[in-house]
Amino acid sequence: MPATPTPYRRLTRDSAGVGTYSSLWLAADHLMIVRSTGYHESYSRVQLSDVKAIFLTKSARRIWWGVAWGVIAAPAGIVLGIGLTGREPPIFSTIFFLIGVAGLIWNHLLGAGCRAYVLTGVQTAELTSLVRINKARKVIAQLQPLLAQAQADLTLPRAVPTSGSAPETEGLTVVRSPAAAAPPSESTTPAAGAPDATPPPVG
Amino acid sequence: MTSGAELACPKCKRTLGPDSWADAQHGACAGCRADFEFIPFPALHATRAQVIAQTAVLSEESVCFFHAENRAEAICESCGRLLCPVCTVPFGGKKLCPSCIAGSKGSEDPTVARDRVLFDSIALTLAVVPLLIWPFTLITAPAALGLVIYGWNKPNSLVRGRGRARLVIAAVIAAIEIGAWIALGVTWWVRS
């Protein structure tokens, strides 16, 4: 029986965690975070139209992997160095040293570690498979036009001028230019997850 | 420059005050000192069209299943209940009611499925791994075969689009193991 076609496109390869691995997939209108143990998969969907922002924070992933590869390479390198003075170079130490050095180089080329979080109106979900800043930026660059398209029908708050006062913006704090002869408006900044200001009703 | 809505640090959940922001897109949480990059999208400041349910005026009008005072304007594509605009949830290209979405746990519908058991991986593991300690295959081989039969028509991974190849391989290996045990049993019986 042929494989079942799926509407999902893979954005990231599997990223290993503790006992599980996660990946990020893209459908026409939503992102899917897949967490798998190899025998069971769980799915978390994030609608593209609900994505308010993405946070990227630094992590120490590259450092820890550097330490791990260094732990492999350093003792093997020491043994190799000692063995080179002898008649026959130690084979296993050479192999482990080369593996360790290759791992260190690969870890460095992957870039700095990061954690990515997607902010919606009701939650902040971690994109657990985005663990390197270079990959995260590539994925975000892929998503940006899709997010703009998915959110094109949303209404941006409009400044409504009232007589003798500055335009008011709901949900925004706007720094005014010196040319604007108006006092700063009172800004209402709703917390993430709180309902937005009342939009024009749909007729 | 806009400071945007009040946001919380994704790591420590504390509100990011004005002192946490270096510019509109970078900053460091004053609580946990985590540097962050902030990439906003239109939905951060945008609003959605307000949904207003129309009150049912005439007695013969269809009313919402959940709100008897509201006029029904849609039908749930899963259970068929009449829904007012407040109860109509667009989900995966369908219009569903909150009950159907809430009850989607365990559902096989790919639109709402929250998880899937990968019977093919379990069967293949049961068929192959116990070969390392082969006496266990007396139990695991029939178990693997049973899982193949049970999982044959079950939906597989939602994203990986795998066919039944793993199930077939697991079934073949399990059948060989069972055949070997039968042969072993017959040989022992004949000799005894």
PDB file of all heavy atoms in Angstrom, chain B residues 134-163:
ATOM      1  N   TRP B 134      16.749 -14.336  22.287  1.00  0.00           N
ATOM      2  CA  TRP B 134      15.759 -15.006  21.453  1.00  0.00           C
ATOM      3  C   TRP B 134      14.679 -15.768  22.206  1.00  0.00           C
ATOM      4  O   TRP B 134      13.570 -15.900  21.685  1.00  0.00           O
ATOM      5  CB  TRP B 134      16.440 -15.928  20.432  1.00  0.00           C
ATOM      6  CG  TRP B 134      17.227 -17.052  21.024  1.00  0.00           C
ATOM      7  CD1 TRP B 134      18.544 -17.048  21.366  1.00  0.00           C
ATOM      8  CD2 TRP B 134      16.723 -18.341  21.364  1.00  0.00           C
ATOM      9  NE1 TRP B 134      18.900 -18.248  21.891  1.00  0.00           N
ATOM     10  CE2 TRP B 134      17.799 -19.079  21.903  1.00  0.00           C
ATOM     11  CE3 TRP B 134      15.483 -18.955  21.258  1.00  0.00           C
ATOM     12  CZ2 TRP B 134      17.660 -20.381  22.336  1.00  0.00           C
ATOM     13  CZ3 TRP B 134      15.337 -20.266  21.692  1.00  0.00           C
ATOM     14  CH2 TRP B 134      16.430 -20.969  22.233  1.00  0.00           C
ATOM     15  N   PRO B 135      14.919 -16.278  23.421  1.00  0.00           N
ATOM     16  CA  PRO B 135      13.785 -16.974  24.057  1.00  0.00           C
ATOM     17  C   PRO B 135      12.563 -16.088  24.254  1.00  0.00           C
ATOM     18  O   PRO B 135      11.437 -16.584  24.318  1.00  0.00           O
ATOM     19  CB  PRO B 135      14.365 -17.424  25.400  1.00  0.00           C
ATOM     20  CG  PRO B 135      15.832 -17.568  25.139  1.00  0.00           C
ATOM     21  CD  PRO B 135      16.155 -16.463  24.197  1.00  0.00           C
ATOM     22  N   PHE B 136      12.773 -14.777  24.342  1.00  0.00           N
ATOM     23  CA  PHE B 136      11.630 -13.891  24.532  1.00  0.00           C
ATOM     24  C   PHE B 136      10.723 -13.849  23.312  1.00  0.00           C
ATOM     25  O   PHE B 136       9.565 -13.421  23.420  1.00  0.00           O
ATOM     26  CB  PHE B 136      12.115 -12.473  24.855  1.00  0.00           C
ATOM     27  CG  PHE B 136      12.585 -12.310  26.264  1.00  0.00           C
ATOM     28  CD1 PHE B 136      13.934 -12.246  26.569  1.00  0.00           C
ATOM     29  CD2 PHE B 136      11.684 -12.248  27.309  1.00  0.00           C
ATOM     30  CE1 PHE B 136      14.379 -12.108  27.868  1.00  0.00           C
ATOM     31  CE2 PHE B 136      12.102 -12.103  28.620  1.00  0.00           C
ATOM     32  CZ  PHE B 136      13.456 -12.033  28.898  1.00  0.00           C
ATOM     33  N   THR B 137      11.258 -14.255  22.178  1.00  0.00           N
ATOM     34  CA  THR B 137      10.423 -14.195  20.972  1.00  0.00           C
ATOM     35  C   THR B 137       9.248 -15.162  21.048  1.00  0.00           C
ATOM     36  O   THR B 137       8.303 -15.033  20.276  1.00  0.00           O
ATOM     37  CB  THR B 137      11.262 -14.510  19.720  1.00  0.00           C
ATOM     38  OG1 THR B 137      11.857 -15.806  19.850  1.00  0.00           O
ATOM     39  CG2 THR B 137      12.350 -13.467  19.526  1.00  0.00           C
ATOM     40  N   LEU B 138       9.302 -16.103  21.995  1.00  0.00           N
ATOM     41  CA  LEU B 138       8.151 -16.988  22.173  1.00  0.00           C
ATOM     42  C   LEU B 138       6.908 -16.173  22.519  1.00  0.00           C
ATOM     43  O   LEU B 138       5.788 -16.512  22.138  1.00  0.00           O
ATOM     44  CB  LEU B 138       8.443 -17.997  23.280  1.00  0.00           C
ATOM     45  CG  LEU B 138       7.327 -18.974  23.619  1.00  0.00           C
ATOM     46  CD1 LEU B 138       7.009 -19.864  22.414  1.00  0.00           C
ATOM     47  CD2 LEU B 138       7.706 -19.834  24.826  1.00  0.00           C
ATOM     48  N   ILE B 139       7.115 -15.065  23.227  1.00  0.00           N
ATOM     49  CA  ILE B 139       5.997 -14.207  23.626  1.00  0.00           C
ATOM     50  C   ILE B 139       5.849 -13.027  22.674  1.00  0.00           C
ATOM     51  O   ILE B 139       4.741 -12.661  22.273  1.00  0.00           O
ATOM     52  CB  ILE B 139       6.218 -13.695  25.062  1.00  0.00           C
ATOM     53  CG1 ILE B 139       6.263 -14.884  26.025  1.00  0.00           C
ATOM     54  CG2 ILE B 139       5.124 -12.727  25.464  1.00  0.00           C
ATOM     55  CD1 ILE B 139       6.732 -14.530  27.407  1.00  0.00           C
ATOM     56  N   THR B 140       6.970 -12.449  22.312  1.00  0.00           N
ATOM     57  CA  THR B 140       6.883 -11.195  21.558  1.00  0.00           C
ATOM     58  C   THR B 140       6.480 -11.422  20.096  1.00  0.00           C
ATOM     59  O   THR B 140       5.881 -10.526  19.496  1.00  0.00           O
ATOM     60  CB  THR B 140       8.224 -10.447  21.601  1.00  0.00           C
ATOM     61  OG1 THR B 140       9.248 -11.260  21.033  1.00  0.00           O
ATOM     62  CG2 THR B 140       8.588 -10.083  23.028  1.00  0.00           C
ATOM     63  N   ALA B 141       6.815 -12.567  19.524  1.00  0.00           N
ATOM     64  CA  ALA B 141       6.442 -12.798  18.124  1.00  0.00           C
ATOM     65  C   ALA B 141       4.922 -12.832  17.942  1.00  0.00           C
ATOM     66  O   ALA B 141       4.383 -12.142  17.064  1.00  0.00           O
ATOM     67  CB  ALA B 141       7.092 -14.073  17.603  1.00  0.00           C
ATOM     68  N   PRO B 142       4.190 -13.619  18.752  1.00  0.00           N
ATOM     69  CA  PRO B 142       2.728 -13.540  18.621  1.00  0.00           C
ATOM     70  C   PRO B 142       2.174 -12.156  18.951  1.00  0.00           C
ATOM     71  O   PRO B 142       1.197 -11.711  18.347  1.00  0.00           O
ATOM     72  CB  PRO B 142       2.231 -14.579  19.647  1.00  0.00           C
ATOM     73  CG  PRO B 142       3.370 -15.495  19.866  1.00  0.00           C
ATOM     74  CD  PRO B 142       4.584 -14.659  19.711  1.00  0.00           C
ATOM     75  N   ALA B 143       2.810 -11.487  19.913  1.00  0.00           N
ATOM     76  CA  ALA B 143       2.348 -10.134  20.247  1.00  0.00           C
ATOM     77  C   ALA B 143       2.533  -9.197  19.067  1.00  0.00           C
ATOM     78  O   ALA B 143       1.654  -8.376  18.760  1.00  0.00           O
ATOM     79  CB  ALA B 143       3.108  -9.607  21.463  1.00  0.00           C
ATOM     80  N   ALA B 144       3.672  -9.327  18.403  1.00  0.00           N
ATOM     81  CA  ALA B 144       3.928  -8.476  17.232  1.00  0.00           C
ATOM     82  C   ALA B 144       2.917  -8.767  16.136  1.00  0.00           C
ATOM     83  O   ALA B 144       2.386  -7.847  15.495  1.00  0.00           O
ATOM     84  CB  ALA B 144       5.356  -8.696  16.727  1.00  0.00           C
ATOM     85  N   LEU B 145       2.626 -10.061  15.930  1.00  0.00           N
ATOM     86  CA  LEU B 145       1.657 -10.420  14.891  1.00  0.00           C
ATOM     87  C   LEU B 145       0.273  -9.888  15.236  1.00  0.00           C
ATOM     88  O   LEU B 145      -0.470  -9.408  14.374  1.00  0.00           O
ATOM     89  CB  LEU B 145       1.639 -11.936  14.720  1.00  0.00           C
ATOM     90  CG  LEU B 145       1.049 -12.471  13.412  1.00  0.00           C
ATOM     91  CD1 LEU B 145       1.785 -11.886  12.218  1.00  0.00           C
ATOM     92  CD2 LEU B 145       1.116 -13.995  13.385  1.00  0.00           C
ATOM     93  N   GLY B 146      -0.071  -9.993  16.511  1.00  0.00           N
ATOM     94  CA  GLY B 146      -1.360  -9.459  16.942  1.00  0.00           C
ATOM     95  C   GLY B 146      -1.453  -7.955  16.736  1.00  0.00           C
ATOM     96  O   GLY B 146      -2.484  -7.424  16.322  1.00  0.00           O
ATOM     97  N   LEU B 147      -0.359  -7.260  17.012  1.00  0.00           N
ATOM     98  CA  LEU B 147      -0.360  -5.812  16.804  1.00  0.00           C
ATOM     99  C   LEU B 147      -0.481  -5.467  15.322  1.00  0.00           C
ATOM    100  O   LEU B 147      -1.122  -4.468  14.965  1.00  0.00           O
ATOM    101  CB  LEU B 147       0.931  -5.205  17.357  1.00  0.00           C
ATOM    102  CG  LEU B 147       0.863  -4.627  18.762  1.00  0.00           C
ATOM    103  CD1 LEU B 147       2.203  -4.088  19.168  1.00  0.00           C
ATOM    104  CD2 LEU B 147      -0.188  -3.537  18.851  1.00  0.00           C
ATOM    105  N   VAL B 148       0.144  -6.258  14.496  1.00  0.00           N
ATOM    106  CA  VAL B 148       0.036  -6.015  13.049  1.00  0.00           C
ATOM    107  C   VAL B 148      -1.424  -6.128  12.614  1.00  0.00           C
ATOM    108  O   VAL B 148      -1.935  -5.275  11.880  1.00  0.00           O
ATOM    109  CB  VAL B 148       0.905  -7.024  12.273  1.00  0.00           C
ATOM    110  CG1 VAL B 148       0.588  -6.973  10.787  1.00  0.00           C
ATOM    111  CG2 VAL B 148       2.388  -6.725  12.495  1.00  0.00           C
ATOM    112  N   ILE B 149      -2.106  -7.157  13.119  1.00  0.00           N
ATOM    113  CA  ILE B 149      -3.505  -7.344  12.731  1.00  0.00           C
ATOM    114  C   ILE B 149      -4.363  -6.204  13.290  1.00  0.00           C
ATOM    115  O   ILE B 149      -5.220  -5.646  12.605  1.00  0.00           O
ATOM    116  CB  ILE B 149      -4.006  -8.714  13.245  1.00  0.00           C
ATOM    117  CG1 ILE B 149      -3.234  -9.837  12.542  1.00  0.00           C
ATOM    118  CG2 ILE B 149      -5.498  -8.875  13.051  1.00  0.00           C
ATOM    119  CD1 ILE B 149      -3.423 -11.202  13.153  1.00  0.00           C
ATOM    120  N   TYR B 150      -4.109  -5.844  14.553  1.00  0.00           N
ATOM    121  CA  TYR B 150      -4.909  -4.786  15.182  1.00  0.00           C
ATOM    122  C   TYR B 150      -4.663  -3.440  14.529  1.00  0.00           C
ATOM    123  O   TYR B 150      -5.574  -2.634  14.334  1.00  0.00           O
ATOM    124  CB  TYR B 150      -4.570  -4.725  16.681  1.00  0.00           C
ATOM    125  CG  TYR B 150      -5.316  -3.653  17.420  1.00  0.00           C
ATOM    126  CD1 TYR B 150      -6.666  -3.810  17.751  1.00  0.00           C
ATOM    127  CD2 TYR B 150      -4.682  -2.462  17.792  1.00  0.00           C
ATOM    128  CE1 TYR B 150      -7.353  -2.823  18.439  1.00  0.00           C
ATOM    129  CE2 TYR B 150      -5.362  -1.476  18.466  1.00  0.00           C
ATOM    130  CZ  TYR B 150      -6.690  -1.652  18.786  1.00  0.00           C
ATOM    131  OH  TYR B 150      -7.373  -0.674  19.452  1.00  0.00           O
ATOM    132  N   GLY B 151      -3.398  -3.176  14.203  1.00  0.00           N
ATOM    133  CA  GLY B 151      -3.065  -1.854  13.668  1.00  0.00           C
ATOM    134  C   GLY B 151      -3.149  -1.735  12.162  1.00  0.00           C
ATOM    135  O   GLY B 151      -2.838  -0.679  11.617  1.00  0.00           O
ATOM    136  N   TRP B 152      -3.593  -2.796  11.505  1.00  0.00           N
ATOM    137  CA  TRP B 152      -3.578  -2.801  10.041  1.00  0.00           C
ATOM    138  C   TRP B 152      -4.423  -1.665   9.468  1.00  0.00           C
ATOM    139  O   TRP B 152      -4.043  -1.022   8.498  1.00  0.00           O
ATOM    140  CB  TRP B 152      -4.070  -4.149   9.524  1.00  0.00           C
ATOM    141  CG  TRP B 152      -3.923  -4.314   8.038  1.00  0.00           C
ATOM    142  CD1 TRP B 152      -4.900  -4.207   7.095  1.00  0.00           C
ATOM    143  CD2 TRP B 152      -2.711  -4.610   7.338  1.00  0.00           C
ATOM    144  NE1 TRP B 152      -4.373  -4.418   5.839  1.00  0.00           N
ATOM    145  CE2 TRP B 152      -3.026  -4.673   5.973  1.00  0.00           C
ATOM    146  CE3 TRP B 152      -1.387  -4.822   7.723  1.00  0.00           C
ATOM    147  CZ2 TRP B 152      -2.064  -4.946   4.994  1.00  0.00           C
ATOM    148  CZ3 TRP B 152      -0.456  -5.091   6.754  1.00  0.00           C
ATOM    149  CH2 TRP B 152      -0.793  -5.143   5.408  1.00  0.00           C
ATOM    150  N   ASN B 153      -5.597  -1.449  10.036  1.00  0.00           N
ATOM    151  CA  ASN B 153      -6.497  -0.414   9.518  1.00  0.00           C
ATOM    152  C   ASN B 153      -6.489   0.849  10.372  1.00  0.00           C
ATOM    153  O   ASN B 153      -7.312   1.735  10.157  1.00  0.00           O
ATOM    154  CB  ASN B 153      -7.928  -0.952   9.429  1.00  0.00           C
ATOM    155  CG  ASN B 153      -8.096  -1.877   8.241  1.00  0.00           C
ATOM    156  OD1 ASN B 153      -7.535  -1.631   7.175  1.00  0.00           O
ATOM    157  ND2 ASN B 153      -8.826  -2.960   8.430  1.00  0.00           N
ATOM    158  N   LYS B 154      -5.595   0.910  11.314  1.00  0.00           N
ATOM    159  CA  LYS B 154      -5.527   2.110  12.152  1.00  0.00           C
ATOM    160  C   LYS B 154      -4.760   3.205  11.413  1.00  0.00           C
ATOM    161  O   LYS B 154      -3.829   2.910  10.653  1.00  0.00           O
ATOM    162  CB  LYS B 154      -4.805   1.801  13.469  1.00  0.00           C
ATOM    163  CG  LYS B 154      -5.548   0.856  14.381  1.00  0.00           C
ATOM    164  CD  LYS B 154      -6.716   1.548  15.027  1.00  0.00           C
ATOM    165  CE  LYS B 154      -7.383   0.607  16.024  1.00  0.00           C
ATOM    166  NZ  LYS B 154      -8.553   1.225  16.644  1.00  0.00           N
ATOM    167  N   PRO B 155      -5.113   4.454  11.637  1.00  0.00           N
ATOM    168  CA  PRO B 155      -4.370   5.533  10.965  1.00  0.00           C
ATOM    169  C   PRO B 155      -2.948   5.632  11.499  1.00  0.00           C
ATOM    170  O   PRO B 155      -2.703   5.387  12.673  1.00  0.00           O
ATOM    171  CB  PRO B 155      -5.175   6.794  11.303  1.00  0.00           C
ATOM    172  CG  PRO B 155      -5.938   6.440  12.526  1.00  0.00           C
ATOM    173  CD  PRO B 155      -6.197   4.978  12.477  1.00  0.00           C
ATOM    174  N   ASN B 156      -2.057   5.978  10.604  1.00  0.00           N
ATOM    175  CA  ASN B 156      -0.644   6.071  10.945  1.00  0.00           C
ATOM    176  C   ASN B 156      -0.277   7.527  11.272  1.00  0.00           C
ATOM    177  O   ASN B 156      -1.157   8.342  11.529  1.00  0.00           O
ATOM    178  CB  ASN B 156       0.200   5.559   9.777  1.00  0.00           C
ATOM    179  CG  ASN B 156       1.496   4.947  10.249  1.00  0.00           C
ATOM    180  OD1 ASN B 156       2.165   5.501  11.111  1.00  0.00           O
ATOM    181  ND2 ASN B 156       1.838   3.799   9.706  1.00  0.00           N
ATOM    182  N   SER B 157       0.997   7.815  11.237  1.00  0.00           N
ATOM    183  CA  SER B 157       1.459   9.160  11.568  1.00  0.00           C
ATOM    184  C   SER B 157       0.750  10.200  10.715  1.00  0.00           C
ATOM    185  O   SER B 157       0.549  10.017   9.520  1.00  0.00           O
ATOM    186  CB  SER B 157       2.969   9.243  11.362  1.00  0.00           C
ATOM    187  OG  SER B 157       3.400  10.590  11.417  1.00  0.00           O
ATOM    188  N   LEU B 158       0.391  11.289  11.360  1.00  0.00           N
ATOM    189  CA  LEU B 158      -0.339  12.354  10.665  1.00  0.00           C
ATOM    190  C   LEU B 158       0.558  13.097   9.686  1.00  0.00           C
ATOM    191  O   LEU B 158       0.094  13.648   8.692  1.00  0.00           O
ATOM    192  CB  LEU B 158      -0.883  13.334  11.707  1.00  0.00           C
ATOM    193  CG  LEU B 158      -2.013  14.259  11.316  1.00  0.00           C
ATOM    194  CD1 LEU B 158      -3.221  13.477  10.871  1.00  0.00           C
ATOM    195  CD2 LEU B 158      -2.371  15.144  12.502  1.00  0.00           C
ATOM    196  N   VAL B 159       1.845  13.121   9.958  1.00  0.00           N
ATOM    197  CA  VAL B 159       2.729  13.969   9.162  1.00  0.00           C
ATOM    198  C   VAL B 159       3.678  13.178   8.275  1.00  0.00           C
ATOM    199  O   VAL B 159       4.110  13.666   7.236  1.00  0.00           O
ATOM    200  CB  VAL B 159       3.536  14.924  10.063  1.00  0.00           C
ATOM    201  CG1 VAL B 159       2.621  15.930  10.723  1.00  0.00           C
ATOM    202  CG2 VAL B 159       4.334  14.160  11.106  1.00  0.00           C
ATOM    203  N   ARG B 160       4.003  11.956   8.695  1.00  0.00           N
ATOM    204  CA  ARG B 160       5.064  11.281   7.962  1.00  0.00           C
ATOM    205  C   ARG B 160       4.546  10.459   6.798  1.00  0.00           C
ATOM    206  O   ARG B 160       5.319   9.992   5.989  1.00  0.00           O
ATOM    207  CB  ARG B 160       5.881  10.411   8.922  1.00  0.00           C
ATOM    208  CG  ARG B 160       6.524  11.280   9.976  1.00  0.00           C
ATOM    209  CD  ARG B 160       7.317  10.483  10.975  1.00  0.00           C
ATOM    210  NE  ARG B 160       7.489  11.230  12.210  1.00  0.00           N
ATOM    211  CZ  ARG B 160       8.459  12.119  12.418  1.00  0.00           C
ATOM    212  NH1 ARG B 160       9.345  12.346  11.494  1.00  0.00           N
ATOM    213  NH2 ARG B 160       8.533  12.758  13.571  1.00  0.00           N
ATOM    214  N   GLY B 161       3.248  10.251   6.740  1.00  0.00           N
ATOM    215  CA  GLY B 161       2.665   9.623   5.560  1.00  0.00           C
ATOM    216  C   GLY B 161       3.216   8.245   5.255  1.00  0.00           C
ATOM    217  O   GLY B 161       3.498   7.920   4.107  1.00  0.00           O
ATOM    218  N   ARG B 162       3.399   7.445   6.288  1.00  0.00           N
ATOM    219  CA  ARG B 162       3.974   6.114   6.057  1.00  0.00           C
ATOM    220  C   ARG B 162       2.887   5.146   5.616  1.00  0.00           C
ATOM    221  O   ARG B 162       1.746   5.224   6.034  1.00  0.00           O
ATOM    222  CB  ARG B 162       4.628   5.595   7.340  1.00  0.00           C
ATOM    223  CG  ARG B 162       5.746   6.513   7.830  1.00  0.00           C
ATOM    224  CD  ARG B 162       6.611   5.841   8.847  1.00  0.00           C
ATOM    225  NE  ARG B 162       5.908   5.511  10.063  1.00  0.00           N
ATOM    226  CZ  ARG B 162       6.451   5.582  11.271  1.00  0.00           C
ATOM    227  NH1 ARG B 162       7.701   5.974  11.392  1.00  0.00           N
ATOM    228  NH2 ARG B 162       5.776   5.243  12.337  1.00  0.00           N
ATOM    229  N   GLY B 163       3.263   4.196   4.785  1.00  0.00           N
ATOM    230  CA  GLY B 163       2.334   3.155   4.366  1.00  0.00           C
ATOM    231  C   GLY B 163       2.404   1.991   5.337  1.00  0.00           C
ATOM    232  O   GLY B 163       2.715   2.164   6.515  1.00  0.00           O
TER     233      GLY B 163
END
